[in-house]
Amino acid sequence: MAPRDLSLIVKDLELAIGLISRGTIWRAGETLNLIASENVMSPLALKAYMSDFMHRYAEGKPFKRYYQGTRYLDEIEVLTSKVMSRLLSSNWVELRPISGTLANAAVFRVLAEPGDKAAIAPVQAGAHVSHTKFGTLGALGIKQINLPYDEENMNVDVDEAVKVIESEKPRFVVLGGSVYLFPHPVRELADAARSVGSGIVYDSAHVLGLIIGGKWRNPLLSGALAMTSSTHKTFPGPQGGLIAFSEEWIYKRVSKTIFPWFVSNHHLHRLPATLVTALEMEAHGEEYAKQIVNNARTLAESLAAEGFNVIGEHLGYTRSHQVLVDVRKLGGGAKTATLLEEANIIVNKNLLPWDKPEAVGDPSGIRIGVQEVTRRGMGKSEMKYVAELFRRLLIDGASVERVRDDVIELAKSFREVKYSFDESAFGKRLVTLLDVIS
Ligand SMILES: *Cc1c(COP(=O)(O)O)cnc(C)c1O
């Protein structure tokens, strides 16, 4: 190694501090974030995230660890499971997957051996890459069978799917997705899956918060065997994963293999922040979920009224937190998303049902999610205003700078995180690492 040059190191440190700070000011303070898979934690959850647990190891299960020093973490993990069980109507919850993808990996691997088949809701119906041969399913050597798609209903075709399940006899069926406006048919396919000795794995990464808030069917109450999830999309917790089960045998098998197959340490600082968020959702989730779906509907209607080609009009546009817009006439998904970003409006370009997979770099659409702006307190009038900003920028051709100024002003007046506990009341007694280490 070359001799240390402290001035160079400090230069990189200064660079890092600048990037972190500017990134935070921009994304948390000055943008309108409409990415459908993101959210923000409350100040109290953020404080809970800053615990000493982030430095520790705890392989194994609570009170049966391979490490000493875990007594408080053990209690936190048990309490978080208990609250999640209550929220999801499940007796069996696994909190150790550190992401939604690893939650899927653990369940898929337990239900199928390499070479077995799994049937999935197709990409048009919103499949996540981890459900496909290009992602986790493929990495596990499990063969991908697509369930048929019904264009009219923008959903899995139930009658044809039953035939596919009966003839292919997949080891499991994956429903739930990343880009969907309407609930997938869990109840309708559960019997067919069961009749061939299979079960439904419902991936609720996007809709966990809507399920807890009572605005999306709980798949476990509709016949799914397991639900996998992320904990940071409509459920506004720290980035992480979880699994809830409707039968004990599958819980036991996943639980026995998640460590050591898919995690060793499970990133322990997630747990206190997930717990605080779960309690926030228990207290305010119903109100929050209701406002999310109302806002999504209002935004879809307002964008249509402003002249945009919003998908799903004949079905009422959306029942989730998402809105999909066909922007082919405006130059395509890539160009539109880039222009919006210049004006501080953050969305992602997305394949729409008719796009070929090759179009992924420049698809027909953009995907919009309202869960974060809703959490910051936006309602009906703001959704109408957001649609107007879209029109000014994308249809009227207003200057990027003018729209950006208005976006910054809007973002600045919606910085507070709603549907959460009062940090000034509860946060005082919460000791963080920064209070202990200085
Ligand atoms: C986001 C998402 C995932 C992946 O979750 P990570 O926590 O990012 O690994 C899995 N499935 C679906 C349906 C998703 O939308």
Side-chain angles (χ1 to χ4, degrees), residues 5 16 43 99 118 128 137 164-165 172 205 221 270 286 364 371-372:
D5 179 341
S99 74
H128 184 254
L137 196 80
V164 169
I165 292 168
F172 59 91
L221 301 180
R270 295 187 298 117
E286 213 169 299
S364 298
Q371 69 294 335
E372 183 170 326

Side-chain angles (χ1 to χ4, degrees), residues 36-37 98-104 126-131 174-180 202-207 228-233 239-241 322 367:
S37 57
I98 59 170
S99 74
T101 298
L102 284 171
N104 282 339
H128 184 254
V129 65
S130 62
H131 307 171
V174 184
L175 297 177
S178 307
V179 194
Y180 64 152
Y202 189 92
D203 185 337
S204 56
H206 265 268
V207 293
T228 56
S229 195
S230 307
T231 53
H232 49 265
K233 297 182 182 179
Q239 294 189 337
Q322 298 183 6
R367 181 183 69 166

Side-chain angles (χ1 to χ4, degrees), residues 136 256 272 321 428:
T136 310
K256 221 183 271 172
H321 57 302
K428 273 199 212 91

